[in-house]
Structure formats: structure tokens, C-alpha cells
Amino acid sequence: MTIRAASVKDVAARAGVSLGTVSNVLNRPDRVSVQTKARVEAAMAELGFVRNESARQLRAGRSSALAYVMLDGSNPFFADVAHGIEQAAEAQDLSLFTCNSNNRAERETVYLNRLEEQRVQGILITPVNPDAEALDELPRRGTPVVIVDRTRGGNTHCSVAVDDVLGGELAARHLIELGHRHIAYIGGPDPLGQVRDRRRGAHKALADAGLGPEHLVDIGTEALTVDEGRKAGERLVGRPASSRPTAAFCANDLLALGLLQQCVALRMSIPDDLAIVGYDDIDFAAAAAVPLTSVRQPRRELGRRAAELLLAEATDPQHEHEQVVFTPELVVRGSTR
Amino acid sequence: MTIRAASVKDVAARAGVSLGTVSNVLNRPDRVSVQTKARVEAAMAELGFVRNESARQLRAGRSSALAYVMLDGSNPFFADVAHGIEQAAEAQDLSLFTCNSNNRAERETVYLNRLEEQRVQGILITPVNPDAEALDELPRRGTPVVIVDRTRGGNTHCSVAVDDVLGGELAARHLIELGHRHIAYIGGPDPLGQVRDRRRGAHKALADAGLGPEHLVDIGTEALTVDEGRKAGERLVGRPASSRPTAAFCANDLLALGLLQQCVALRMSIPDDLAIVGYDDIDFAAAAAVPLTSVRQPRRELGRRAAELLLAEATDPQHEHEQVVFTPELVVRGSTR
DNA sequence: GGACCTAGATGAAAGGTTTCATCCAGTCGA
DNA sequence: TCGACTGGATGAAACCTTTCATCTAGGTCC
């Protein structure tokens, strides 16, 4: 183990050239004669030279990394979004740092601060609270921020999201077309814009079919988790058969999977006793014992596009903020047919 | 937007103090009088001062971050390991960078190089190939490396893993005790040490019960994925009923979930027609329609312990490499009873 | 009143890389 | 033979923070 890592200076000494030449070998190899280059490279190999990225960054003023602050590391949806971001970053030879706020505003703040201190090129974030002030300050101080899978009032940021109202509409329309007239909407907590938008879409589908809002019964949950899905299932099945919905639309797939499990455990048959539609179309939705009908969001594409917007903003100073909205798609599977 | 971020020098000028004093406010606030401190802090706020982490690192020689290079971002098992690492890192006020090699050696190499250039405190990795040379070079050059969820010959690294032979034994013994005498082992590709170890454990359980190895039939897969699990299910059910196993032990939960789905689709009853045991006990195993019996690995704990070993190695120069092996635990659920 | 302390403030130096203006030694043309 | 040019090589300066030896002013004690 070397006591101190070799620096360009050491390499220069070993190769018998100036340190500027070593730097040229690294950054503009064409300006260096082949012999010199060979000598320098040999010296690097002998000394096990490794570039010091901190020093590069200090000099350059910015790092060559992006960051994604994801909302919930245990939801595969976000892992897929991250993967899309990574692909875009890779294409530009940038690194991606992934942080996980785990739905806690306090962790999110810590990460945002650190990332700003790192001088990352920019930050992609699915925020705990899209209206948090910190999201304004960062761009004001020079670190671009793109909001992923959320929207935000005003035209202060670029954002990439999916049309949740339309998604809700697709899901509900599908159930209505299958003849269901008593549909449960399972989701919460309500302050989440997505939970509300998807419900709005469902109401729209009802209205379009000439049905009143009473055909959709709300079953609130405290979070969008498998466990909450199970609990919702219990409550649902607890209802007297006459007033029990024949179909359920869940605000995400985790809820739907929990619901599905609870229903199977309680000996209900899916989709005969209860048709289920989820949201997100995570891989585990297709992998469920009764494959889940779900509203697919273009997860990778979401990440990819967000990264592109970020890079555009990072390179072009007078850039116009853009709100990209993707279109969701219904994927019909066994849980509704 | 400021043309250039404010530096300590700017803050010092604004507050009418020397730059050393600003640094003291940041790093040793007790050595600064309250009035001065207040003045400096006001100046910082006015200028929107943000520490430059590159410069700190350059000065310090090392960054204050760990990194985890995970093998497969789409397997929730690794997300949980990462979460454990994060907890340990958080406790020490370190950042964690998570990278995802996605099972590709070439991505892994890229990330390792970058992380070394970043001078991270150390690297945790679940390697594509535990015997890769690069894993030796990093520690030789001063960046400690801890191997997670894999083991490696020799005593060259710290590593944290779970006793896979024992896990296989637990799974198979459980099935044997339930009366199964014709058990499928589903897993592959074979070069994976874990796939082999878990099979070895299963054979051991058979032997202990006085049963020959012919009671375990091998069904190879090309990867440990849901899709491969489905395919294995097709092959399994395709067998004539007389020679069809009555139970299956899968090398991980993704395979088991795919198998479960295929069986349900083909109208087999779980566990009556086929009992299934998975491995890893990811959350989705418990959430399956027929909750999956699985061998639980202490995922968070795995990550946490690995991070601790890494920090120990990073701080203590003459540190002894340690191979931690955790004990797995069988979690019995509906898929076997 | 002088010696001694102490809390607080100072600023130069170091850390590794990149850039850029400068320099050097050949080569070519006239 | 001289001047102009060129491909290469050079090294000082800048990037920003932290540390540490040094300095100052005010207070305490005899």
C-alpha cells in the first residue's frame, strides 16, 4: 500500500517530463509526441496513477455527475425510473448518484444539501413535497432541478410526468365496459396529487358513461404499500355482500398486490368475485399469481426524458422550462378477465 | 443566478473578517466569538454560500462517501441490502453512492474506476465475478473493498455473506418433513456459487434423512429471474404426472414467483399439487397470492455489517480481514402448508 | 507596572489538476 | 545565412478549503 497516491507531479518526475505534459497526455493526447506519450503512460502504470476527481472538479467548477433523489427505494417503479435516467447519463458519459429519501422530508433535505455541495450538474427528484421551497433555491443558486413523476404549479422547473387523470379514466372505463357498476377506489393519503388525479379520471369515465359519482366508493389508505392494500382488502370483504363492490381500482400496484393477496386468502375468486386494476405496471404486477391488469407508465422513458431535460437546462443558460406529460396505457391481464 | 458561486473568501470580505475565521465558523464554531460568528453567518446567508465539497475533499485527501455497487437493481433483495448500508452510513454521517452494474462486468469496471477517482472511503460490492482481478487492485492502491453477499477464496477481503449451504438444507429438510420425496431444484446458471451451495445444502438434508440424491431433480435456468421461473414451470408441468415432482425449491424468490404464477395459470393448486420454497424472502414473496415459504436472509443486517467492516478497514490500517457469515432462517407460509 | 495568559483572529501554505501564455529546437523558404 | 514557422514541451496561476503557526489585545495576578 502506497503511503500517498501518485499525482501528476510524480508521474511527470518519473517520466522525466513536465507536469503540463502529463496533463496533455490525459486530456489532449494528440498534442503529445508518441514517444513522450508512451513514456508517460508507462510511468502512470508503474506508479498506479489514478486521477484525482476532486481536483479536476475543483478546477472545472462542476462535477460530471447527475443525481436522482428517489422517493421510495422499495418500490420497483422508482428503480425502473432510475434505470432510465442511468441510460441517458451513460450516453453522455456522466455518472449518476442515486439517493433514496424514503419518503422522509428530512432525508431529502440532507441529500439535496450534499448534492449541491458536490456541485453536481443537476438534480432529478421525485420530491416528498413538490411544493417545498428548497426546490426553488437550488436552481436560483445555479443547480438545475427537474421534477420527476410529479408536477408543480408555476413554470419554475422542468418536469416529467404521466397524465394521471387519463390513467384513472382508462382504468375506470375498462371496468365500466366490463359491466361493473359498483367500483371501489383504493388509495391515499389524499394530499398526494396522484391519488386525487387518478380518482378524478375515474369520475370522468363514469360521467362519460352517464353514471353518477356514487358508483365509485372511496376506500382510503394511509400509504401506497402492500400492507395497506391488505388492510383495504379486509375492509372491503367485511362489507355485506349486497353493498360490496364488484371491482377495485387501486392507486398503485403495491396496493393492488396486497388487495389481491388478501382476497385470495379470504377465498374470493379473482376476477369473478372482484376485478382488480392496479397502477404503474411494475414487473411484479405481471408476475402475480393472477396477473394484474394495470395502467402502464413509461417508467424508463420517464427517467430518460427527465435526464435529457436536465442536461439541456444545464448546458443552455437561457433555457425554457418544459413540462413533459406522457400518456399512460392500460394493460389488460387476468385480474379483470 | 449568480455568475460564480460565493466562496469563503467572498464571505470573509462581506463579513469583514479573514478567511480563516470563516473556516473556523464552519469547522470549529467554539473558537469564534458569538458576534463574529453571527456576522459571518449573516454574510453566508446573504451570499447564498454553499461549501465546495471538491475543495474540501482535495484538502482532506478522501471523500466522505461510501459506495455500493449493486448487482441487479431490479431485484428488491439488493435494494434492501442497500438500505442497510445506508443506515450504517447515515449513522457515521457519510453519504452513500449507489451504482448498479446490472450484471454487466463492463459497467462494473466503469463504476469502480470512477469511484476510485472520487477517492471514496471504500467500496461495497456484490460483484459480477467475485474473482475479478480489479477487486484486488483497489485495496492495493488504498481503497478498501468489502464483498457483499458473495465469498471469495483467500483472505484478501472482508466479506459478508449468508450460509447458503445451510439455507438449502433448511429448505429441503422442511420439504422432506412434509413428506415430499420427489423434489425439484430450480436454479442456474451453475457457475454461480450460491446456486451450487444451495443445492449442496439440499443434498445434505436428503442424506441426513437417509434419502439418496436421486430424490432431488435438477431443473436448470439461465438466470435468476421471474421469466425463467415461468419457463421452469412449463417444463415441470410438462412432465408426465407420474414423474412430476411434488415440491420445488427455487434458488431465489424471483424464480419462485414465476413458477408460482405459471402453476396457477396451469390450474395447479399450491401447495397441494406442488409445494414451493423460495429463497431471499423479499417483500414480494410474502405478498404473493399464495404467500411464499422462503429462506430469509438478513438483508438489511447484511448491508449494515458490511458497511461497518468497511469503515473499520478504512480507519484501521493494520486491520485483519474478516469473513462474516450470517445464518439464514426458514419462513413458512402458504406455499408449503 | 510588568509578566504572563488566553480567547480570538489572521493569513500563508498545501492539496492535485487543468489551462494558457511562453519558450525551444528544428525545418523550410528565400 | 537569416527569418518565419511549427510541433512539442514547459511551468506558473487558478480553483476553494482547511490547518497551523503566529499575532494581538485585553485581563489577571503579584
Side-chain angles (χ1 to χ4, degrees), chain B residues 222-241:
Chain B
E222 284 174 20
L224 301 172
T225 60
V226 173
D227 196 48
E228 283 291 318
R230 284 189 198 109
K231 287 186 197 157
E234 270 175 26
R235 266 174 284 158
L236 199 72
V237 177
R239 292 177 169 232

Side-chain angles (χ1 to χ4, degrees), chain A residues 105-163:
Chain A
E106 158 258 336
R107 285 312 291 161
E108 184 177 286
T109 307
V110 170
Y111 281 124
L112 289 177
N113 285 338
R114 281 204 221 201
L115 292 169
E116 190 179 13
E117 290 177 356
Q118 308 258 3
R119 301 286 193 275
V120 291
Q121 295 263 331
I123 298 178
L124 298 143
I125 181 169
T126 304
V128 175
N129 167 18
D131 297 316
E133 270 193 47
L135 299 182
D136 284 320
E137 285 171 20
L138 285 165
R140 204 181 301 142
R141 285 197 292 256
T143 303
V145 170
V146 170
I147 297 181
V148 180
D149 195 44
R150 293 285 186 277
T151 50
R152 187 172 207 252
N155 187 28
T156 57
H157 296 77
C158 286
S159 71
V160 177
V162 182
D163 186 339

Side-chain angles (χ1 to χ4, degrees), chain A residues 75-116:
Chain A
N75 186 342
F77 174 80
F78 293 108
D80 290 335
V81 173
H83 199 229
I85 296 172
E86 202 173 19
Q87 289 178 333
E90 192 180 328
Q92 307 286 324
D93 250 306
L94 296 167
S95 311
L96 176 67
F97 297 145
T98 310
C99 313
N100 180 3
S101 72
N102 258 309
N103 249 309
R104 287 186 297 159
E106 158 258 336
R107 285 312 291 161
E108 184 177 286
T109 307
V110 170
Y111 281 124
L112 289 177
N113 285 338
R114 281 204 221 201
L115 292 169
E116 190 179 13

Side-chain angles (χ1 to χ4, degrees), chain B:
Chain B
M1 171 152 29
T2 346
I3 203 68
R4 191 179 58 82
S7 73
V8 274
K9 210 195 273 180
D10 302 322
V11 174
R14 177 94 169 205
V17 301
S18 80
L19 106 194
T21 300
V22 176
S23 180
N24 280 335
V25 170
L26 251 17
N27 302 298
R28 311 198 220 36
D30 46 308
R31 302 218 186 145
V32 176
S33 74
V34 276
Q35 303 94 315
T36 312
K37 195 175 146 208
R39 257 208 343 273
V40 170
E41 281 170 348
M44 286 187 187
E46 286 163 29
L47 295 173
F49 171 76
V50 176
R51 260 177 171 173
N52 185 322
E53 180 66 22
S54 320
R56 296 189 77 192
Q57 270 183 39
L58 175 57
R59 183 67 232 240
R62 276 250 163 243
S63 94
S64 64
L66 304 183
Y68 177 43
V69 182
M70 73 164 94
L71 186 63
D72 177 4
S74 63
N75 186 343
F77 174 80
F78 294 109
D80 290 334
V81 173
H83 199 228
I85 296 172
E86 203 172 18
Q87 289 178 332
E90 192 180 328
Q92 308 285 325
D93 248 306
L94 296 167
S95 312
L96 175 68
F97 297 146
T98 311
C99 312
N100 179 3
S101 71
N102 257 308
N103 248 309
R104 289 186 297 159
E106 158 258 335
R107 286 312 292 161
E108 183 177 287
T109 307
V110 169
Y111 281 123
L112 288 177
N113 285 336
R114 282 204 224 205
L115 293 170
E116 190 179 13
E117 289 176 359
Q118 309 257 4
R119 302 287 194 274
V120 291
Q121 294 262 332
I123 298 177
L124 298 144
I125 182 170
T126 304
V128 174
N129 167 17
D131 297 316
E133 270 194 45
L135 299 182
D136 284 320
E137 285 171 19
L138 285 165
R140 205 180 300 142
R141 285 198 293 257
T143 302
V145 170
V146 170
I147 297 181
V148 180
D149 195 43
R150 292 286 186 276
T151 50
R152 187 174 207 248
N155 187 28
T156 58
H157 296 76
C158 286
S159 71
V160 177
V162 183
D163 187 339
D164 285 315
V165 176
L166 177 56
E169 200 182 327
L170 290 174
R173 189 190 305 151
H174 173 59
L175 291 172
I176 293 168
E177 283 172 358
L178 289 172
H180 294 284
R181 290 296 175 271
H182 194 178
I183 302 173
Y185 177 66
I186 300 178
D190 225 52
L192 277 183
Q194 306 193 300
V195 172
R196 284 207 306 272
D197 285 351
R198 290 166 194 178
R199 183 194 297 116
R200 268 229 320 277
H203 277 131
K204 186 150 175 291
L206 286 175
D208 287 352
L211 298 169
E214 72 279 6
H215 290 271
L216 192 74
V217 321
D218 242 311
I219 301 202
T221 62
E222 284 174 20
L224 301 172
T225 60
V226 173
D227 196 48
E228 283 291 318
R230 284 189 198 109
K231 287 186 197 157
E234 270 175 26
R235 266 174 284 158
L236 199 72
V237 177
R239 292 177 169 232
S242 60
S243 78
R244 192 187 299 152
T246 60
F249 168 36
C250 299
N252 84 353
D253 282 341
L254 298 183
L255 285 174
L257 289 172
L259 174 65
L260 174 65
Q261 179 181 47
Q262 192 61 249
C263 289
V264 170
L266 296 173
R267 307 251 163 261
M268 290 177 69
S269 155
I270 310 291
D272 301 333
D273 297 336
L274 185 76
I276 301 181
V277 179
Y279 207 107
D280 284 348
D281 194 31
I282 61 177
D283 289 341
F284 288 102
V290 181
L292 214 57
T293 294
S294 190
V295 178
R296 170 177 301 164
Q297 312 206 62
R299 295 161 275 159
R300 298 254 179 110
E301 190 55 27
L302 205 64
R304 221 167 3 225
R305 195 81 181 76
E308 286 165 12
L309 285 180
L310 186 68
L311 294 175
E313 181 166 353
T315 45
D316 173 14
Q318 65 232 17
H319 142 105
E320 293 279 320
H321 290 309
E322 205 173 324
Q323 260 78 41
V324 175
V325 178
F326 282 101
T327 303
E329 180 191 354
L330 185 77
V331 181
V332 178
R333 299 204 184 85
S335 73
T336 57
R337 79 172 161 214

Side-chain angles (χ1 to χ4, degrees), chain A residues 4 8 27 49 56 59:
Chain A
R4 191 179 58 84
V8 276
N27 302 298
F49 171 76
R56 296 189 78 192
R59 181 66 228 241

